[in-house]
Amino acid sequence: MSKLKSSIKQDKVFTARSDYQKSHLHNIRNIKNTVSFGGGKKAIENLHKKNKLHCRERINLLIDKDSYFMELGVLAAYGMYEEYGGAPSSGTIFGIGKIHGRNCVIVANDATVKAGAWFPVTCKKNLRAQEISMENRLPIIYLVDSAGVFLPLQDEIFPDKEHFGRIFRNNAVMSSMGIPQISAIMGPCVAGGAYLPIMSDEALIVEGTGSIFLAGAHLVKAAIGEVIDNESLGGAKVTTEISGITDEKMESDEKCIAKIRELVSKFGHNERAGFDRIAGRDSVSDINEIYGVLPEDSSKPYDTYELICRIIDVGDFDEYKPEYGKTIITGYARIDGWAVGIVANQRNIVKSKSGEMQFGGVIYSDSADKAARFIMNCNQRKIPLVFLQDVTGFMVGSRSEHGGIIKDGAKMVNAVANSVVPKITIITGNSYGAGNYAMCGKAYDPRFIFAYPNAQIAVMGGSQASNVLMDIKIGQLKKQGKEITEEDKKKFLAEVKDRYDEQTNVLHAAARLWVDEIIDPKDTRKIISYCIELADNNFEMKKFNPGVIQT
C-alpha cells in the first residue's frame, strides 16, 4: 500500500488559509451556541418552575455519562419563519447517542420554541431522524412535549406525502421492521401528534406535566359543549388507569428518563453488517493542519491528497487507477481502523493521459468512468464509500460533448444511485450542478451528509449565474426594442450575485436540511468512524445492481 505524505509548508499562505477557515468555524459555533438555548434562557427557567427539564437536559440525562452525542440538524430553520418569531433548531433536537452502550436515535421537542409546535422543517427533521433509524436499524426514543402543528403554516405540513402523516406511517413500518420505539410524554401531546407516542412500542407519561388527547379542553367545549380540564381529559392517571393508552406513569422527568434507560439496557443486539475494521491508527499528518489545506477562495486550486492524508490512518492509501481520470481520486484506505473506499474531487489542475491540462474540481469523461468502476468494486467487496465533494460540475464544450461526457456521467450517477454499501458524503468546498449528484448529494441517499463551514451548494456559482441571467435579460430587452445601460448592468449583476451568494451559503443549506450538519473539519475522522459504526448495525444489505451501465 502506498503512503501519502504531506508537502505543505506552514508558511504565510498556510496561516492565512487556516485563519480564514477557523474564522468561518468560529462564526458557525457562535450561531449554534445561540440556537442551543431554543426560546431563550428565560423560557428554560420557566420550564424549571413547572418541574420540567429542557430538552437538552433530558438528552444529557438519557445518554451514557460523558459519551458522544452526534447532534444533527442543529441549524434547521435558521433564518426561516422570522415573521413568526423564528424557530431555533426548528423546535426539535435530534441526534444519535449511546444508552447502556447501545446506539439510539433520540428526538426531543423543544417546548421553549412555540410550545414545541411543528413547523414544516420540524416535520422534515423528524422524518430524517426516522430515516436514519430505519436505514441503520437503530432504536429510536421520542421525548414528546409539543403543542402540535403550527396552525398558520398547516397547509405546508399536513396533507402531502412527506408531511406530518408520514411520521405515523413510519412508526408502523419501523415496528414491523423490529426497530424498538419508546415514547415519553413529558408535556402536551395534541391532535395528530398524539399518534406518534401511541404508535410507539412503549409509551410512558410524566404525572402533572404530560397529557395526551385528540382535542384539548378548549376545543372539546367548542365542539360538543363539554366542560373538562386537560388533566381529567388525558392526564397521566386517566391514560394509565382508565383508557390504558399509555403504559406507565412516572413521577418526574428524571424518573421517566431512568426508566427509559432501564428498558433500553435489555434490548438484544443486531447481527452486524460485517464491514472490516482493525485497530485504528492516527493520520500521518496532524489533523489540526486541515484548516491550512483549504483555500480562502473556493475557486482557487489545492491538492486534495493533502486533505486525504489528514483523514485516513497513517497515510496508507491504495489508489485505484492513479494515472487515469485524475480529476477524481479513488482509492482504498482506513479511517479509525474501518476499511473505506474514497471518492474525492481533485482540486489541483492536472494533466490528462493525452497531455492536456484539466481543471481541478471538474468531472471529465475519464474520471467519471473511473469513479463508476471503483464504486462497483466497493459494492462487490462490501466496503463503505466516503465522498469528499468539492466539485464545480461536469466538463462542457464541443470536445467533451463529442467525447460522450453525458454517457460517462450517466455511468457514474447510475453507480452512485444503485450503490448499496453505506455512503457518507462530506462537502469540503463547492457543490455545483450535476456534480452534486455524481458525488452523492442529498438526492442520492447518503447514509449521512455533512459540510465544512466554507461549503457552497448551488446549480452554479454566483458569478456564472449572474452573467447567464444578465445575457437572458439583455436578450429580452432587445426583443422589446430597449437597451440597458452599463450602470443598470452593474446593479443587476450585483443584485443577482448577492442573492445567489446568500443562497449558496452553507447556513442556507443547513437550515433546509440539505446537509445533516455543518462540522468542524478536524472532527472528520471521528464522525466518519462513528457513522460507519452506526451503519454496521444493519446486517441487511441488498445485492448491488448497477443497472444499465454502458462500458
Side-chain angles (χ1 to χ4, degrees):
M1 184 174 284
S2 60
K3 290 272 188 183
L4 288 185
K5 294 183 180 179
S6 175
S7 60
I8 279 185
K9 296 178 181 178
Q10 296 200 21
D11 52 16
K12 290 181 179 180
V13 173
F14 178 92
T15 302
R17 287 179 169 185
S18 185
D19 289 345
Y20 177 81
Q21 298 299 334
K22 287 179 180 178
S23 174
H24 259 307
L25 181 61
H26 180 70
N27 180 51
I28 297 293
R29 281 176 174 165
N30 284 341
I31 294 171
K32 284 185 177 182
N33 183 57
T34 301
V35 164
S36 69
F37 289 101
K41 293 182 180 180
K42 188 173 181 180
I44 294 173
E45 289 172 6
N46 289 335
L47 281 183
H48 293 163
K49 289 175 184 177
K50 297 174 183 176
N51 296 319
K52 293 171 70 173
L53 298 175
H54 185 238
C55 55
R56 293 188 180 278
E57 295 169 328
R58 290 167 175 169
I59 291 171
N60 286 338
L61 279 178
L62 183 59
I63 61 175
D64 294 344
K65 190 175 181 180
D66 299 324
S67 65
Y68 174 54
F69 180 64
M70 186 171 76
E71 186 176 352
L72 304 176
V74 178
L75 296 169
Y78 178 76
M80 301 172 69
Y81 313 123
E82 295 298 328
E83 66 271 37
Y84 302 107
S89 269
S90 76
T92 297
I93 310 304
F94 106 83
I96 302 115
K98 283 184 167 61
I99 302 175
H100 283 290
R102 295 158 173 83
N103 287 307
C104 296
V105 176
I106 302 168
V107 183
N109 299 117
D110 188 344
T112 69
V113 180
K114 296 288 188 295
W118 289 60
F119 289 79
V121 173
T122 316
C123 187
K124 188 175 183 180
K125 188 170 176 178
N126 276 263
L127 287 170
R128 179 63 178 143
Q130 290 182 320
E131 182 179 42
I132 287 171
S133 173
M134 287 188 279
E135 286 183 334
N136 302 288
R137 286 189 172 268
L138 299 173
I140 187 165
I141 314 297
Y142 305 101
L143 306 180
V144 186
D145 192 348
S146 171
V149 168
F150 187 63
L151 290 178
L153 297 172
Q154 62 85 26
D155 64 319
E156 297 179 39
I157 191 173
F158 168 65
D160 210 347
K161 181 179 178 180
E162 301 299 329
H163 283 178
F164 203 45
R166 188 76 173 181
I167 290 167
F168 317 137
R169 174 264 185 195
N170 286 350
N171 287 140
V173 170
M174 292 162 74
S175 286
S176 74
M177 292 172 65
I179 297 172
Q181 300 174 82
I182 297 176
S183 283
I185 301 162
M186 312 179 93
C189 192
V190 186
Y195 284 103
L196 184 147
I198 303 310
M199 292 190 73
S200 297
D201 304 303
E202 197 145 359
L204 310 174
I205 186 167
V206 178
E207 288 185 278
T209 57
S211 59
I212 181 167
F213 31 69
L214 290 181
H218 291 295
L219 185 54
V220 167
K221 183 179 180 182
I224 63 173
E226 182 183 0
V227 178
I228 190 170
D229 62 80
N230 284 338
E231 188 65 26
S232 302
L233 189 64
K237 185 177 178 67
V238 170
T239 58
T240 56
E241 298 179 17
I242 299 174
S243 67
I245 63 172
T246 59
D247 301 308
E248 189 174 354
K249 60 178 181 283
M250 311 303 300
E251 293 179 13
S252 64
D253 282 7
E254 291 85 352
K255 290 193 175 181
C256 186
I257 289 166
K259 180 67 174 182
I260 294 170
R261 285 185 51 81
E262 186 180 323
L263 292 170
V264 173
S265 72
K266 298 174 177 64
F267 287 175
H269 296 275
N270 284 358
E271 180 184 341
R272 298 297 173 186
F275 304 125
D276 189 67
R277 191 181 196 186
I278 61 174
R281 294 173 290 173
D282 290 337
S283 56
V284 71
S285 299
D286 185 358
I287 189 68
N288 291 298
E289 293 175 354
I290 202 166
Y291 306 114
V293 172
L294 306 168
E296 312 96 304
D297 184 343
S298 63
S299 66
K300 289 183 179 178
Y302 65 92
D303 190 353
T304 304
Y305 286 108
E306 295 287 354
L307 181 64
I308 293 172
C309 77
R310 285 165 177 79
I311 294 173
I312 64 175
D313 290 4
V314 296
D316 287 342
F317 190 58
D318 190 3
E319 190 165 1
Y320 176 76
K321 291 184 180 286
E323 301 302 322
Y324 181 75
K326 292 183 178 181
T327 63
I328 288 183
I329 299 168
T330 52
Y332 309 99
R334 290 190 183 274
I335 295 176
D336 194 26
W338 293 104
V340 297
I342 292 176
V343 181
N345 300 111
Q346 171 58 293
R347 283 303 311 275
N348 252 352
I349 297 171
V350 299
K351 188 180 289 187
S352 73
K353 61 183 182 295
S354 62
E356 69 171 314
M357 302 309 291
Q358 295 182 336
F359 297 105
V362 178
I363 302 176
Y364 290 79
S365 285
D366 53 357
S367 49
D369 177 70
K370 176 175 81 170
R373 292 169 182 272
F374 177 73
I375 289 165
M376 287 190 281
N377 284 354
C378 288
N379 274 269
Q380 180 194 55
R381 301 168 193 182
K382 210 160 147 181
I383 300 174
L385 283 159
V386 174
F387 290 83
L388 301 177
Q389 186 184 123
D390 191 347
V391 59
T392 53
F394 284 88
M395 191 58 191
V396 296
S398 60
R399 186 167 183 172
S400 291
E401 299 293 358
H402 297 171
I405 184 67
I406 296 175
K407 178 189 71 176
D408 291 317
K411 284 191 269 184
M412 183 176 177
V413 169
N414 201 326
V416 173
N418 286 289
S419 177
V420 295
V421 293
K423 297 170 289 192
I424 299 162
T425 300
I426 299 178
I427 302 172
T428 62
N430 301 312
S431 179
Y432 292 156
N436 170 281
Y437 303 156
M439 291 297 293
C440 199
K442 187 67 181 289
Y444 286 77
D445 297 326
R447 289 287 181 97
F448 299 92
I449 179 168
F450 304 99
Y452 285 174
N454 61 304
Q456 296 183 343
I457 305 173
V459 171
M460 63 182 75
S463 298
Q464 297 95 317
S466 54
N467 283 306
V468 170
L469 292 171
M470 171 58 75
D471 290 342
I472 294 171
K473 187 175 181 68
I474 290 172
Q476 290 172 339
L477 290 172
K478 282 183 177 178
K479 286 181 181 179
Q480 298 169 14
K482 298 177 183 178
E483 293 291 333
I484 185 169
T485 66
E486 286 301 317
E487 187 177 337
D488 287 338
K489 282 183 182 180
K490 288 180 182 178
K491 185 179 178 182
F492 178 81
L493 286 170
E495 287 175 353
V496 173
K497 189 176 184 302
D498 287 347
R499 185 171 71 250
Y500 227 80
D501 287 346
E502 181 183 341
Q503 292 174 351
T504 59
N505 190 292
V506 71
L507 286 168
H508 188 87
R512 288 153 183 81
L513 297 176
W514 299 346
V515 295
D516 288 321
E517 192 55 62
I518 302 172
I519 64 170
D520 183 341
K522 74 176 177 60
D523 291 336
T524 304
R525 281 171 51 82
K526 177 178 78 172
I527 287 170
I528 291 174
S529 174
Y530 190 47
C531 288
I532 299 174
E533 177 187 323
L534 298 174
D536 196 45
N537 194 62
N538 187 357
F539 64 92
E540 287 189 349
M541 284 186 57
K542 297 176 183 177
K543 184 178 179 182
F544 177 62
N545 178 9
V548 181
I549 297 184
Q550 300 173 29
T551 56

